[in-house]
Amino acid sequence: MFEARYQTFDDASDRAQSAGRVAALRAELKRRGLDGLVVPRADRQQNEYLPASEERLAWLTGFTGSAGAAVVLSERAAVFVDGRYTVQAASQVDDKVFAIEHLVEKPPDQWLEQNLKSGAKLGYDPWLHTADGAEKLKKVCATVGATLVAVDSNPIDALWSDRPAPPSGPVTLRDIKLAGESAIDKLNRIRVEIDKLRADMLVVSDPQNVAWTFNIRGSDVAHTPLALAFAVIPRDGRPALYVDGAKLDNAVRSALEEFSDVRAPDDLTRDLAALKDKTVRLDSGSAADALTRLIADNDGKPVRGADPITLMKAVKNPAEIAGMKAAHKRDGVAMVRFLHWLDGAAASGTLTEIEAVAALESFRCDTGRLKDVSFPTISGSGPNGAIVHYRVTEGSNRTIGNNELFLIDSGAQYEDGTTDITRTIAVGTPSEEMRDRFTRVLRGHIGIATAVFPEGTSGAQLDPFARLALWQAGLDFDHGTGHGVGSYLSVHEGPARISKLGTVALKRGMILSNEPGYYKTGAYGIRIENLVLVTAAPAPDGAEKPLNQFETLTLAPIDRRLILTRMLTAKERAWIDAYHAHVQITLSPLLDAPAQAWLEAATRPLAAI
């Protein structure tokens, strides 16, 4: 009945092979005169989702999470993961081969300071590390009396006999009606920023920024419509776009060549080597150390810092906002149809996590507009819901049990917008503790949704609003409250975020997630996520600064059965009722009669509970 077309449930971890592969790697390192190697989960552009051909960390260690690293020395090795992946790493990584360390609390440079021997030669691939990352490694090597060595070719590639081919998906042009601004106009704005930076040119290493600037999309990266491409934009003159020509049909190439020089990817190193005496801006977050070295070694002047395009892209224009709203309305219909179906299917006691994923994807496919899911769906019942970035596989799949919580975090890629939504559902009768924790998370969600804040406020300043009700009970969650979201681009977009570390000011037109949570290991997980748009707020008399607020874009009911109304203030209850009324009025005309009836019940005022 239902089918998942855009995601699979295979256990991609190859844990059983890691001991042999580490032994082979050590032999290869010895042959090259190296005593160790740093293996980040990264490609040449620091993408979140990697092509299969770039999954070196997974090949070596078995760990398949979206963030991590490994270090292999001659006598010991370690895998580094953050708080989202501690449970996953424990199940995927052979602890007889690798120690499992916390990526934040004990990052690779600190571990190396304790384990790297004086006189050792530590290898790293300069194409897979940023310059800042390489400098950290160089510093720790100097501290212990070791030497950092940039390898000419990656040692893992020499061992990976069945390495997949690089991606070769076609590049498409983004309709100006959806982009809202021509590539030529964007380039003119970018040149102004390059001039402000006193640079001669900008190297665009983040493929999201390339896609936005040139109004192109691709299919080289899972769940994100990107073409793996670079660009160089001079302060004066035509930009150069470096992309595999086989990905361009004649119409696309012709359109791009009207305002840019289209060149082969291998031409990038040649062109950068020719920039003698030129001041070249490089993105500190995505530009490979190899690029900095290449420019500097040929008497150019590399300057690292934020790519100005990143902030420009994050502020959506009216056409992009309209597209995101249309996408969320369409996605809301799919979500309501799914939640209606789930209420009946879960009651049977036989529904599995995988079946729920397939059903939701199918309801989205029914819109006729789905291009992809925006990330692999997190479908966690009971204890699996407590794994923040849980990915269900055939091996981990479990039945959604009675009197459990079911957490489903999912998103869609439509041509007019990207969605990301999490709902936590009561199956059977939830415990009082579950309802208490859910209501605390809900209060945090409302705290962000209703915040009014001065222009210039950062995400770090707002983050406590999401945590206060949890803090009051001695609880917290180990992830950020919100991330930026692209317009038919990455579901995780910088530079703004709502988190303890979010220092970028939130600007009108930015779209972010609002997703506080709570996770009880081995028992259940709770997260409530909507996407929100930063808009102008009415300024009271005497206001000395412009004020901003959030407009919620996501349209789907929040499970009323989990809310302890007595814990809410009058304003919090009013927000829930107003949100549910908006969802009901907006979506009901687009649903069939059974789904309409379900939605009406699911969005009744809290006083009616």
PDB file of all heavy atoms in Angstrom, residues 248-284:
ATOM      1  N   LEU A 248      25.478  19.253 -17.696  1.00  0.00           N
ATOM      2  CA  LEU A 248      24.782  20.387 -18.302  1.00  0.00           C
ATOM      3  C   LEU A 248      24.257  20.021 -19.681  1.00  0.00           C
ATOM      4  O   LEU A 248      25.027  19.596 -20.559  1.00  0.00           O
ATOM      5  CB  LEU A 248      25.736  21.580 -18.443  1.00  0.00           C
ATOM      6  CG  LEU A 248      26.530  22.013 -17.210  1.00  0.00           C
ATOM      7  CD1 LEU A 248      27.461  23.166 -17.566  1.00  0.00           C
ATOM      8  CD2 LEU A 248      25.590  22.412 -16.086  1.00  0.00           C
ATOM      9  N   ASP A 249      22.955  20.187 -19.905  1.00  0.00           N
ATOM     10  CA  ASP A 249      22.472  20.059 -21.273  1.00  0.00           C
ATOM     11  C   ASP A 249      22.718  21.381 -21.994  1.00  0.00           C
ATOM     12  O   ASP A 249      23.162  22.375 -21.404  1.00  0.00           O
ATOM     13  CB  ASP A 249      21.003  19.624 -21.325  1.00  0.00           C
ATOM     14  CG  ASP A 249      20.036  20.641 -20.734  1.00  0.00           C
ATOM     15  OD1 ASP A 249      20.355  21.845 -20.703  1.00  0.00           O
ATOM     16  OD2 ASP A 249      18.934  20.237 -20.301  1.00  0.00           O
ATOM     17  N   ASN A 250      22.432  21.420 -23.282  1.00  0.00           N
ATOM     18  CA  ASN A 250      22.768  22.608 -24.079  1.00  0.00           C
ATOM     19  C   ASN A 250      22.048  23.851 -23.587  1.00  0.00           C
ATOM     20  O   ASN A 250      22.625  24.945 -23.553  1.00  0.00           O
ATOM     21  CB  ASN A 250      22.437  22.355 -25.546  1.00  0.00           C
ATOM     22  CG  ASN A 250      23.378  21.332 -26.173  1.00  0.00           C
ATOM     23  OD1 ASN A 250      24.486  21.123 -25.675  1.00  0.00           O
ATOM     24  ND2 ASN A 250      22.942  20.703 -27.248  1.00  0.00           N
ATOM     25  N   ALA A 251      20.769  23.700 -23.188  1.00  0.00           N
ATOM     26  CA  ALA A 251      19.995  24.862 -22.750  1.00  0.00           C
ATOM     27  C   ALA A 251      20.548  25.426 -21.450  1.00  0.00           C
ATOM     28  O   ALA A 251      20.653  26.653 -21.279  1.00  0.00           O
ATOM     29  CB  ALA A 251      18.525  24.480 -22.591  1.00  0.00           C
ATOM     30  N   VAL A 252      20.906  24.547 -20.509  1.00  0.00           N
ATOM     31  CA  VAL A 252      21.449  25.004 -19.232  1.00  0.00           C
ATOM     32  C   VAL A 252      22.799  25.667 -19.442  1.00  0.00           C
ATOM     33  O   VAL A 252      23.077  26.756 -18.906  1.00  0.00           O
ATOM     34  CB  VAL A 252      21.552  23.834 -18.240  1.00  0.00           C
ATOM     35  CG1 VAL A 252      22.316  24.254 -16.989  1.00  0.00           C
ATOM     36  CG2 VAL A 252      20.166  23.329 -17.867  1.00  0.00           C
ATOM     37  N   ARG A 253      23.658  25.036 -20.224  1.00  0.00           N
ATOM     38  CA  ARG A 253      24.977  25.620 -20.484  1.00  0.00           C
ATOM     39  C   ARG A 253      24.842  26.991 -21.150  1.00  0.00           C
ATOM     40  O   ARG A 253      25.524  27.955 -20.769  1.00  0.00           O
ATOM     41  CB  ARG A 253      25.811  24.694 -21.373  1.00  0.00           C
ATOM     42  CG  ARG A 253      27.172  25.282 -21.733  1.00  0.00           C
ATOM     43  CD  ARG A 253      27.958  24.337 -22.623  1.00  0.00           C
ATOM     44  NE  ARG A 253      28.509  23.222 -21.882  1.00  0.00           N
ATOM     45  CZ  ARG A 253      29.655  23.257 -21.226  1.00  0.00           C
ATOM     46  NH1 ARG A 253      30.378  24.384 -21.183  1.00  0.00           N
ATOM     47  NH2 ARG A 253      30.099  22.199 -20.601  1.00  0.00           N
ATOM     48  N   SER A 254      23.963  27.080 -22.129  1.00  0.00           N
ATOM     49  CA  SER A 254      23.779  28.351 -22.838  1.00  0.00           C
ATOM     50  C   SER A 254      23.307  29.449 -21.901  1.00  0.00           C
ATOM     51  O   SER A 254      23.801  30.578 -21.951  1.00  0.00           O
ATOM     52  CB  SER A 254      22.783  28.160 -23.986  1.00  0.00           C
ATOM     53  OG  SER A 254      22.543  29.385 -24.647  1.00  0.00           O
ATOM     54  N   ALA A 255      22.365  29.117 -21.007  1.00  0.00           N
ATOM     55  CA  ALA A 255      21.846  30.114 -20.068  1.00  0.00           C
ATOM     56  C   ALA A 255      22.925  30.573 -19.106  1.00  0.00           C
ATOM     57  O   ALA A 255      23.049  31.768 -18.798  1.00  0.00           O
ATOM     58  CB  ALA A 255      20.660  29.536 -19.307  1.00  0.00           C
ATOM     59  N   LEU A 256      23.752  29.653 -18.621  1.00  0.00           N
ATOM     60  CA  LEU A 256      24.812  30.007 -17.680  1.00  0.00           C
ATOM     61  C   LEU A 256      25.915  30.815 -18.359  1.00  0.00           C
ATOM     62  O   LEU A 256      26.495  31.723 -17.760  1.00  0.00           O
ATOM     63  CB  LEU A 256      25.392  28.746 -17.048  1.00  0.00           C
ATOM     64  CG  LEU A 256      24.466  27.989 -16.096  1.00  0.00           C
ATOM     65  CD1 LEU A 256      25.074  26.652 -15.699  1.00  0.00           C
ATOM     66  CD2 LEU A 256      24.182  28.815 -14.848  1.00  0.00           C
ATOM     67  N   GLU A 257      26.204  30.495 -19.611  1.00  0.00           N
ATOM     68  CA  GLU A 257      27.288  31.181 -20.309  1.00  0.00           C
ATOM     69  C   GLU A 257      26.922  32.601 -20.714  1.00  0.00           C
ATOM     70  O   GLU A 257      27.795  33.365 -21.135  1.00  0.00           O
ATOM     71  CB  GLU A 257      27.724  30.370 -21.527  1.00  0.00           C
ATOM     72  CG  GLU A 257      28.498  29.104 -21.141  1.00  0.00           C
ATOM     73  CD  GLU A 257      28.963  28.290 -22.335  1.00  0.00           C
ATOM     74  OE1 GLU A 257      28.360  28.463 -23.427  1.00  0.00           O
ATOM     75  OE2 GLU A 257      29.912  27.499 -22.179  1.00  0.00           O
ATOM     76  N   GLU A 258      25.665  32.986 -20.564  1.00  0.00           N
ATOM     77  CA  GLU A 258      25.289  34.367 -20.845  1.00  0.00           C
ATOM     78  C   GLU A 258      25.946  35.334 -19.862  1.00  0.00           C
ATOM     79  O   GLU A 258      26.183  36.501 -20.200  1.00  0.00           O
ATOM     80  CB  GLU A 258      23.766  34.519 -20.785  1.00  0.00           C
ATOM     81  CG  GLU A 258      23.035  33.875 -21.954  1.00  0.00           C
ATOM     82  CD  GLU A 258      21.530  34.096 -21.864  1.00  0.00           C
ATOM     83  OE1 GLU A 258      21.092  34.873 -20.988  1.00  0.00           O
ATOM     84  OE2 GLU A 258      20.805  33.496 -22.665  1.00  0.00           O
ATOM     85  N   PHE A 259      26.233  34.856 -18.641  1.00  0.00           N
ATOM     86  CA  PHE A 259      26.780  35.764 -17.642  1.00  0.00           C
ATOM     87  C   PHE A 259      27.986  35.196 -16.892  1.00  0.00           C
ATOM     88  O   PHE A 259      28.512  35.826 -15.980  1.00  0.00           O
ATOM     89  CB  PHE A 259      25.696  36.145 -16.620  1.00  0.00           C
ATOM     90  CG  PHE A 259      25.108  34.986 -15.873  1.00  0.00           C
ATOM     91  CD1 PHE A 259      25.691  34.533 -14.703  1.00  0.00           C
ATOM     92  CD2 PHE A 259      23.980  34.330 -16.343  1.00  0.00           C
ATOM     93  CE1 PHE A 259      25.166  33.449 -14.011  1.00  0.00           C
ATOM     94  CE2 PHE A 259      23.444  33.252 -15.662  1.00  0.00           C
ATOM     95  CZ  PHE A 259      24.027  32.817 -14.481  1.00  0.00           C
ATOM     96  N   SER A 260      28.444  33.988 -17.252  1.00  0.00           N
ATOM     97  CA  SER A 260      29.568  33.378 -16.537  1.00  0.00           C
ATOM     98  C   SER A 260      30.376  32.496 -17.472  1.00  0.00           C
ATOM     99  O   SER A 260      29.906  32.104 -18.541  1.00  0.00           O
ATOM    100  CB  SER A 260      29.064  32.555 -15.351  1.00  0.00           C
ATOM    101  OG  SER A 260      28.270  31.464 -15.802  1.00  0.00           O
ATOM    102  N   ASP A 261      31.592  32.198 -17.050  1.00  0.00           N
ATOM    103  CA  ASP A 261      32.439  31.259 -17.776  1.00  0.00           C
ATOM    104  C   ASP A 261      32.280  29.887 -17.135  1.00  0.00           C
ATOM    105  O   ASP A 261      32.554  29.712 -15.944  1.00  0.00           O
ATOM    106  CB  ASP A 261      33.905  31.688 -17.707  1.00  0.00           C
ATOM    107  CG  ASP A 261      34.152  33.030 -18.376  1.00  0.00           C
ATOM    108  OD1 ASP A 261      33.419  33.360 -19.329  1.00  0.00           O
ATOM    109  OD2 ASP A 261      35.069  33.756 -17.937  1.00  0.00           O
ATOM    110  N   VAL A 262      31.828  28.924 -17.903  1.00  0.00           N
ATOM    111  CA  VAL A 262      31.633  27.567 -17.398  1.00  0.00           C
ATOM    112  C   VAL A 262      32.899  26.765 -17.674  1.00  0.00           C
ATOM    113  O   VAL A 262      33.315  26.623 -18.831  1.00  0.00           O
ATOM    114  CB  VAL A 262      30.407  26.909 -18.052  1.00  0.00           C
ATOM    115  CG1 VAL A 262      30.241  25.478 -17.546  1.00  0.00           C
ATOM    116  CG2 VAL A 262      29.148  27.730 -17.775  1.00  0.00           C
ATOM    117  N   ARG A 263      33.510  26.261 -16.613  1.00  0.00           N
ATOM    118  CA  ARG A 263      34.786  25.570 -16.745  1.00  0.00           C
ATOM    119  C   ARG A 263      34.728  24.201 -16.080  1.00  0.00           C
ATOM    120  O   ARG A 263      33.876  23.936 -15.242  1.00  0.00           O
ATOM    121  CB  ARG A 263      35.905  26.416 -16.122  1.00  0.00           C
ATOM    122  CG  ARG A 263      36.074  27.766 -16.804  1.00  0.00           C
ATOM    123  CD  ARG A 263      37.125  28.628 -16.140  1.00  0.00           C
ATOM    124  NE  ARG A 263      37.207  29.925 -16.802  1.00  0.00           N
ATOM    125  CZ  ARG A 263      37.888  30.968 -16.349  1.00  0.00           C
ATOM    126  NH1 ARG A 263      38.575  30.848 -15.208  1.00  0.00           N
ATOM    127  NH2 ARG A 263      37.900  32.104 -17.007  1.00  0.00           N
ATOM    128  N   ALA A 264      35.682  23.356 -16.435  1.00  0.00           N
ATOM    129  CA  ALA A 264      35.773  22.010 -15.865  1.00  0.00           C
ATOM    130  C   ALA A 264      36.274  22.096 -14.419  1.00  0.00           C
ATOM    131  O   ALA A 264      37.042  22.997 -14.074  1.00  0.00           O
ATOM    132  CB  ALA A 264      36.716  21.155 -16.694  1.00  0.00           C
ATOM    133  N   PRO A 265      35.864  21.178 -13.545  1.00  0.00           N
ATOM    134  CA  PRO A 265      36.303  21.203 -12.150  1.00  0.00           C
ATOM    135  C   PRO A 265      37.822  21.220 -11.990  1.00  0.00           C
ATOM    136  O   PRO A 265      38.358  21.903 -11.112  1.00  0.00           O
ATOM    137  CB  PRO A 265      35.687  19.935 -11.563  1.00  0.00           C
ATOM    138  CG  PRO A 265      34.472  19.690 -12.400  1.00  0.00           C
ATOM    139  CD  PRO A 265      34.854  20.115 -13.781  1.00  0.00           C
ATOM    140  N   ASP A 266      38.543  20.496 -12.863  1.00  0.00           N
ATOM    141  CA  ASP A 266      40.000  20.435 -12.733  1.00  0.00           C
ATOM    142  C   ASP A 266      40.661  21.780 -13.032  1.00  0.00           C
ATOM    143  O   ASP A 266      41.831  21.989 -12.676  1.00  0.00           O
ATOM    144  CB  ASP A 266      40.569  19.362 -13.669  1.00  0.00           C
ATOM    145  CG  ASP A 266      40.237  17.946 -13.205  1.00  0.00           C
ATOM    146  OD1 ASP A 266      39.832  17.796 -12.028  1.00  0.00           O
ATOM    147  OD2 ASP A 266      40.373  17.009 -14.008  1.00  0.00           O
ATOM    148  N   ASP A 267      39.935  22.687 -13.686  1.00  0.00           N
ATOM    149  CA  ASP A 267      40.507  24.000 -13.996  1.00  0.00           C
ATOM    150  C   ASP A 267      40.632  24.881 -12.755  1.00  0.00           C
ATOM    151  O   ASP A 267      41.351  25.892 -12.778  1.00  0.00           O
ATOM    152  CB  ASP A 267      39.642  24.733 -15.035  1.00  0.00           C
ATOM    153  CG  ASP A 267      39.709  24.078 -16.410  1.00  0.00           C
ATOM    154  OD1 ASP A 267      40.648  23.297 -16.650  1.00  0.00           O
ATOM    155  OD2 ASP A 267      38.814  24.346 -17.239  1.00  0.00           O
ATOM    156  N   LEU A 268      39.940  24.534 -11.684  1.00  0.00           N
ATOM    157  CA  LEU A 268      39.944  25.382 -10.496  1.00  0.00           C
ATOM    158  C   LEU A 268      41.355  25.536  -9.933  1.00  0.00           C
ATOM    159  O   LEU A 268      41.785  26.660  -9.624  1.00  0.00           O
ATOM    160  CB  LEU A 268      39.009  24.805  -9.426  1.00  0.00           C
ATOM    161  CG  LEU A 268      38.977  25.558  -8.097  1.00  0.00           C
ATOM    162  CD1 LEU A 268      38.410  26.961  -8.272  1.00  0.00           C
ATOM    163  CD2 LEU A 268      38.151  24.781  -7.059  1.00  0.00           C
ATOM    164  N   THR A 269      42.078  24.443  -9.785  1.00  0.00           N
ATOM    165  CA  THR A 269      43.420  24.538  -9.201  1.00  0.00           C
ATOM    166  C   THR A 269      44.344  25.348 -10.098  1.00  0.00           C
ATOM    167  O   THR A 269      45.157  26.145  -9.606  1.00  0.00           O
ATOM    168  CB  THR A 269      44.006  23.134  -8.957  1.00  0.00           C
ATOM    169  OG1 THR A 269      43.946  22.375 -10.169  1.00  0.00           O
ATOM    170  CG2 THR A 269      43.208  22.411  -7.880  1.00  0.00           C
ATOM    171  N   ARG A 270      44.220  25.188 -11.399  1.00  0.00           N
ATOM    172  CA  ARG A 270      45.044  25.967 -12.331  1.00  0.00           C
ATOM    173  C   ARG A 270      44.744  27.460 -12.205  1.00  0.00           C
ATOM    174  O   ARG A 270      45.655  28.291 -12.137  1.00  0.00           O
ATOM    175  CB  ARG A 270      44.773  25.504 -13.757  1.00  0.00           C
ATOM    176  CG  ARG A 270      45.536  26.278 -14.837  1.00  0.00           C
ATOM    177  CD  ARG A 270      44.825  26.166 -16.172  1.00  0.00           C
ATOM    178  NE  ARG A 270      43.527  26.842 -16.142  1.00  0.00           N
ATOM    179  CZ  ARG A 270      42.584  26.709 -17.081  1.00  0.00           C
ATOM    180  NH1 ARG A 270      42.791  25.891 -18.096  1.00  0.00           N
ATOM    181  NH2 ARG A 270      41.445  27.362 -16.980  1.00  0.00           N
ATOM    182  N   ASP A 271      43.453  27.803 -12.127  1.00  0.00           N
ATOM    183  CA  ASP A 271      43.066  29.209 -12.070  1.00  0.00           C
ATOM    184  C   ASP A 271      43.474  29.851 -10.741  1.00  0.00           C
ATOM    185  O   ASP A 271      43.888  31.016 -10.705  1.00  0.00           O
ATOM    186  CB  ASP A 271      41.563  29.345 -12.292  1.00  0.00           C
ATOM    187  CG  ASP A 271      41.160  28.998 -13.719  1.00  0.00           C
ATOM    188  OD1 ASP A 271      42.058  28.814 -14.563  1.00  0.00           O
ATOM    189  OD2 ASP A 271      39.939  28.905 -13.976  1.00  0.00           O
ATOM    190  N   LEU A 272      43.343  29.108  -9.638  1.00  0.00           N
ATOM    191  CA  LEU A 272      43.728  29.665  -8.342  1.00  0.00           C
ATOM    192  C   LEU A 272      45.241  29.847  -8.254  1.00  0.00           C
ATOM    193  O   LEU A 272      45.732  30.782  -7.603  1.00  0.00           O
ATOM    194  CB  LEU A 272      43.233  28.778  -7.205  1.00  0.00           C
ATOM    195  CG  LEU A 272      41.714  28.709  -7.013  1.00  0.00           C
ATOM    196  CD1 LEU A 272      41.371  27.832  -5.819  1.00  0.00           C
ATOM    197  CD2 LEU A 272      41.110  30.095  -6.842  1.00  0.00           C
ATOM    198  N   ALA A 273      45.974  28.965  -8.886  1.00  0.00           N
ATOM    199  CA  ALA A 273      47.432  29.079  -8.873  1.00  0.00           C
ATOM    200  C   ALA A 273      47.916  30.302  -9.639  1.00  0.00           C
ATOM    201  O   ALA A 273      49.065  30.736  -9.467  1.00  0.00           O
ATOM    202  CB  ALA A 273      48.060  27.816  -9.457  1.00  0.00           C
ATOM    203  N   ALA A 274      47.056  30.890 -10.467  1.00  0.00           N
ATOM    204  CA  ALA A 274      47.431  32.042 -11.289  1.00  0.00           C
ATOM    205  C   ALA A 274      47.102  33.374 -10.625  1.00  0.00           C
ATOM    206  O   ALA A 274      47.246  34.431 -11.247  1.00  0.00           O
ATOM    207  CB  ALA A 274      46.738  31.960 -12.646  1.00  0.00           C
ATOM    208  N   LEU A 275      46.677  33.347  -9.360  1.00  0.00           N
ATOM    209  CA  LEU A 275      46.203  34.571  -8.705  1.00  0.00           C
ATOM    210  C   LEU A 275      47.318  35.247  -7.898  1.00  0.00           C
ATOM    211  O   LEU A 275      47.125  35.665  -6.751  1.00  0.00           O
ATOM    212  CB  LEU A 275      45.008  34.244  -7.797  1.00  0.00           C
ATOM    213  CG  LEU A 275      43.780  33.690  -8.516  1.00  0.00           C
ATOM    214  CD1 LEU A 275      42.673  33.388  -7.514  1.00  0.00           C
ATOM    215  CD2 LEU A 275      43.280  34.662  -9.571  1.00  0.00           C
ATOM    216  N   LYS A 276      48.472  35.383  -8.488  1.00  0.00           N
ATOM    217  CA  LYS A 276      49.594  36.030  -7.821  1.00  0.00           C
ATOM    218  C   LYS A 276      49.234  37.463  -7.435  1.00  0.00           C
ATOM    219  O   LYS A 276      48.672  38.209  -8.245  1.00  0.00           O
ATOM    220  CB  LYS A 276      50.822  36.022  -8.729  1.00  0.00           C
ATOM    221  CG  LYS A 276      52.059  36.633  -8.099  1.00  0.00           C
ATOM    222  CD  LYS A 276      53.245  36.552  -9.041  1.00  0.00           C
ATOM    223  CE  LYS A 276      54.485  37.171  -8.405  1.00  0.00           C
ATOM    224  NZ  LYS A 276      55.677  37.108  -9.293  1.00  0.00           N
ATOM    225  N   ASP A 277      49.537  37.812  -6.196  1.00  0.00           N
ATOM    226  CA  ASP A 277      49.317  39.160  -5.640  1.00  0.00           C
ATOM    227  C   ASP A 277      47.844  39.527  -5.486  1.00  0.00           C
ATOM    228  O   ASP A 277      47.534  40.656  -5.100  1.00  0.00           O
ATOM    229  CB  ASP A 277      50.006  40.234  -6.498  1.00  0.00           C
ATOM    230  CG  ASP A 277      51.523  40.060  -6.529  1.00  0.00           C
ATOM    231  OD1 ASP A 277      52.071  39.603  -5.503  1.00  0.00           O
ATOM    232  OD2 ASP A 277      52.128  40.375  -7.558  1.00  0.00           O
ATOM    233  N   LYS A 278      46.928  38.599  -5.746  1.00  0.00           N
ATOM    234  CA  LYS A 278      45.502  38.881  -5.594  1.00  0.00           C
ATOM    235  C   LYS A 278      45.040  38.519  -4.182  1.00  0.00           C
ATOM    236  O   LYS A 278      45.463  37.507  -3.607  1.00  0.00           O
ATOM    237  CB  LYS A 278      44.672  38.082  -6.610  1.00  0.00           C
ATOM    238  CG  LYS A 278      44.987  38.411  -8.070  1.00  0.00           C
ATOM    239  CD  LYS A 278      44.559  39.817  -8.429  1.00  0.00           C
ATOM    240  CE  LYS A 278      44.755  40.079  -9.925  1.00  0.00           C
ATOM    241  NZ  LYS A 278      44.364  41.471 -10.286  1.00  0.00           N
ATOM    242  N   THR A 279      44.159  39.358  -3.630  1.00  0.00           N
ATOM    243  CA  THR A 279      43.549  39.072  -2.337  1.00  0.00           C
ATOM    244  C   THR A 279      42.298  38.243  -2.575  1.00  0.00           C
ATOM    245  O   THR A 279      41.357  38.702  -3.240  1.00  0.00           O
ATOM    246  CB  THR A 279      43.195  40.369  -1.598  1.00  0.00           C
ATOM    247  OG1 THR A 279      44.390  41.125  -1.392  1.00  0.00           O
ATOM    248  CG2 THR A 279      42.541  40.065  -0.251  1.00  0.00           C
ATOM    249  N   VAL A 280      42.302  37.028  -2.059  1.00  0.00           N
ATOM    250  CA  VAL A 280      41.250  36.065  -2.368  1.00  0.00           C
ATOM    251  C   VAL A 280      40.509  35.694  -1.080  1.00  0.00           C
ATOM    252  O   VAL A 280      41.104  35.170  -0.141  1.00  0.00           O
ATOM    253  CB  VAL A 280      41.834  34.791  -3.022  1.00  0.00           C
ATOM    254  CG1 VAL A 280      40.709  33.835  -3.419  1.00  0.00           C
ATOM    255  CG2 VAL A 280      42.692  35.155  -4.215  1.00  0.00           C
ATOM    256  N   ARG A 281      39.215  35.958  -1.041  1.00  0.00           N
ATOM    257  CA  ARG A 281      38.385  35.608   0.119  1.00  0.00           C
ATOM    258  C   ARG A 281      37.981  34.148   0.033  1.00  0.00           C
ATOM    259  O   ARG A 281      37.483  33.678  -1.005  1.00  0.00           O
ATOM    260  CB  ARG A 281      37.131  36.491   0.143  1.00  0.00           C
ATOM    261  CG  ARG A 281      36.195  36.234   1.300  1.00  0.00           C
ATOM    262  CD  ARG A 281      36.713  36.830   2.596  1.00  0.00           C
ATOM    263  NE  ARG A 281      35.691  36.797   3.657  1.00  0.00           N
ATOM    264  CZ  ARG A 281      35.770  37.495   4.775  1.00  0.00           C
ATOM    265  NH1 ARG A 281      36.805  38.292   4.993  1.00  0.00           N
ATOM    266  NH2 ARG A 281      34.823  37.411   5.682  1.00  0.00           N
ATOM    267  N   LEU A 282      38.174  33.429   1.128  1.00  0.00           N
ATOM    268  CA  LEU A 282      37.805  32.020   1.235  1.00  0.00           C
ATOM    269  C   LEU A 282      36.872  31.829   2.419  1.00  0.00           C
ATOM    270  O   LEU A 282      37.075  32.425   3.481  1.00  0.00           O
ATOM    271  CB  LEU A 282      39.047  31.143   1.428  1.00  0.00           C
ATOM    272  CG  LEU A 282      40.031  31.074   0.251  1.00  0.00           C
ATOM    273  CD1 LEU A 282      41.362  30.532   0.728  1.00  0.00           C
ATOM    274  CD2 LEU A 282      39.470  30.202  -0.860  1.00  0.00           C
ATOM    275  N   ASP A 283      35.871  30.997   2.249  1.00  0.00           N
ATOM    276  CA  ASP A 283      34.929  30.719   3.328  1.00  0.00           C
ATOM    277  C   ASP A 283      35.584  29.823   4.367  1.00  0.00           C
ATOM    278  O   ASP A 283      35.978  28.692   4.057  1.00  0.00           O
ATOM    279  CB  ASP A 283      33.678  30.057   2.751  1.00  0.00           C
ATOM    280  CG  ASP A 283      32.651  29.723   3.816  1.00  0.00           C
ATOM    281  OD1 ASP A 283      32.594  30.446   4.831  1.00  0.00           O
ATOM    282  OD2 ASP A 283      31.894  28.742   3.645  1.00  0.00           O
ATOM    283  N   SER A 284      35.679  30.324   5.595  1.00  0.00           N
ATOM    284  CA  SER A 284      36.356  29.549   6.639  1.00  0.00           C
ATOM    285  C   SER A 284      35.599  28.278   6.989  1.00  0.00           C
ATOM    286  O   SER A 284      36.181  27.331   7.510  1.00  0.00           O
ATOM    287  CB  SER A 284      36.552  30.407   7.893  1.00  0.00           C
ATOM    288  OG  SER A 284      35.315  30.942   8.336  1.00  0.00           O
TER     289      SER A 284
END
